[in-house]
Amino acid sequence: MKTIIKLFVLAALLVGPVASASAQATGSPDFRPYSREGEISPHTQAPTREQLMNAIDVARRSSPVALQTLLEYGERVECHECVPLLEQRMLDPQEDARVREMAAWWLRRRPFGFGAIMAETRAVLESDPDPARRAVAADAIGEFMDPHGVAHLGRALTNDGDVQVRVAAVRGLARINSAASLPFISQALGDANVQVQDAALRVVLHVNFFRDHEALLPLLASTEGSIRRRAALVIGTMHVDAAVPALAAMVTGDTDDMVRQSAAWALGRIGTADARAALREAQGTERSTRVLDAIEVAIRMR
């Protein structure tokens, strides 16, 4: 037993200097176990309240990764003074997106102050005259991942005249990822602006239980090739049988080679008899070698 105790003591002596040397080599903070006033999990690795406040205050002049690291170590440090500082950074359009994301992550862990933080962020989304601030507020509400934010993001998507705010609202709705988000994402697919449509197409495969195939089909006829292409890829991934006639028309008649390639891929993924017949018909008329290759691959899909 004495031998085992001696080995543990020796290991502890060896680990300390190695950890310190590693921190010096990497330039990362060397946080050590401690118990300080304000720390609600004593004897765990965490920065001091002062270190947190200083890091947040100089966020623009320091690496976003360094701030992320400090906030992660300080997840359970009670720092009431940090809250307004982080709110300011989170709602600053000039701030690095990684800082905003980590700020929202830290703030949503404040059990006694989160309600007020959420209310202030919603107020910015609803009434701030600066569309850039409204957009970052929409992103922040998404990062809070509070289902109560869905209604506010939905109103922004419906009523805000700024495209970037509506795009951010779509991202926020997808980040919250609740059943209540789905009707608004369908609504975004039908938005008059291509950027909002594109934002919605980018998230439909990442939210749970999205099944509104009818909202996707009109985008196959978009005047924007990028939208037709992305819609075809999404529809193929979701195996939407009802899209086969539109995809068949695309693979033979679209003027954009990349769209025809995407339509071929989608038909191959859907894989019904009608889809394969459309691919074989297109194979007989296609002149682009790239599209022909895509059709050949699609025909071989199972």
Side-chain angles (χ1 to χ4, degrees):
M1 177 65 71
K2 290 182 178 180
T3 302
I4 294 173
I5 293 172
K6 287 179 181 179
L7 288 172
F8 274 116
V9 171
L10 179 60
L13 291 171
L14 289 172
V15 167
V18 170
S20 180
S22 173
Q24 292 174 5
T26 61
S28 301
D30 184 16
F31 300 124
R32 295 174 179 275
Y34 72 99
S35 178
R36 300 179 192 268
E37 181 183 357
E39 168 57 32
I40 63 175
S41 54
H43 308 298
T44 60
Q45 292 182 326
T48 65
R49 180 185 298 154
E50 292 72 22
Q51 283 176 311
L52 273 175
M53 291 176 63
N54 183 63
I56 296 165
D57 192 44
V58 300
R60 282 191 182 137
R61 301 191 296 275
S62 63
S63 162
V65 175
L67 180 60
Q68 282 181 298
T69 301
L70 201 70
L71 288 174
E72 186 170 5
Y73 273 104
E75 174 186 357
R76 301 185 67 190
V77 174
E78 278 305 319
C79 177
H80 301 299
E81 301 88 346
C82 295
V83 171
L85 294 174
L86 272 179
E87 281 186 293
Q88 182 181 359
R89 292 289 179 249
M90 183 183 65
L91 296 174
D92 183 353
Q94 302 303 316
E95 190 58 84
D96 187 285
R98 292 169 295 178
V99 172
R100 290 201 300 270
E101 179 183 356
M102 199 65 185
W105 176 87
W106 194 87
L107 288 168
R108 73 173 183 251
R109 282 159 170 73
R110 306 304 101 192
F112 300 111
F114 180 72
I117 297 165
M118 186 70 167
E120 184 171 341
T121 308
R122 290 198 304 258
V124 172
L125 174 64
E126 292 168 0
S127 60
D128 197 284
D130 183 355
R133 277 178 55 82
R134 297 200 304 275
V136 296
D139 277 321
I141 290 172
E143 290 298 336
F144 288 149
M145 294 191 288
D146 182 355
H148 293 96
V150 169
H152 302 278
L153 292 173
R155 280 197 291 273
L157 178 65
T158 302
N159 301 324
D160 202 296
D162 188 86
V163 170
Q164 294 310 314
V165 176
R166 300 205 303 279
V167 168
V170 173
R171 289 196 301 260
L173 288 162
R175 186 77 169 116
I176 294 172
N177 198 6
S178 75
S181 299
L182 300 181
F184 292 115
I185 293 174
S186 293
Q187 176 184 327
L189 290 167
D191 194 277
N193 187 273
V194 171
Q195 293 180 55
V196 181
Q197 294 172 3
D198 183 72
L201 282 170
R202 289 175 182 273
V203 303
V204 292
L205 296 178
H206 301 287
V207 293
N208 295 332
F209 310 117
F210 184 86
R211 296 292 183 271
D212 189 1
H213 300 159
E214 291 296 323
L216 291 165
L217 294 177
L219 297 179
L220 294 175
S222 171
T223 57
E224 293 289 331
S226 61
I227 295 295
R228 298 197 303 276
R229 178 174 180 268
R230 192 174 295 280
L233 295 174
V234 169
I235 284 169
T237 301
M238 299 181 83
H239 298 271
V240 182
D241 292 1
V244 168
L247 291 169
M250 289 171 69
V251 80
T252 56
D254 202 285
T255 57
D256 188 321
D257 288 4
M258 294 184 68
V259 173
R260 296 202 303 281
Q261 285 178 274
S262 300
W265 182 89
L267 288 165
R269 280 298 300 269
I270 293 170
T272 61
D274 287 344
R276 295 190 180 281
L279 287 168
R280 286 192 291 270
E281 179 181 347
Q283 196 174 32
T285 59
E286 183 58 55
R287 295 294 177 263
S288 167
T289 55
R290 289 185 179 182
V291 180
L292 283 169
D293 287 344
I295 292 171
E296 181 66 27
V297 169
I299 288 173
R300 295 182 182 183
M301 286 183 183
R302 291 291 183 268

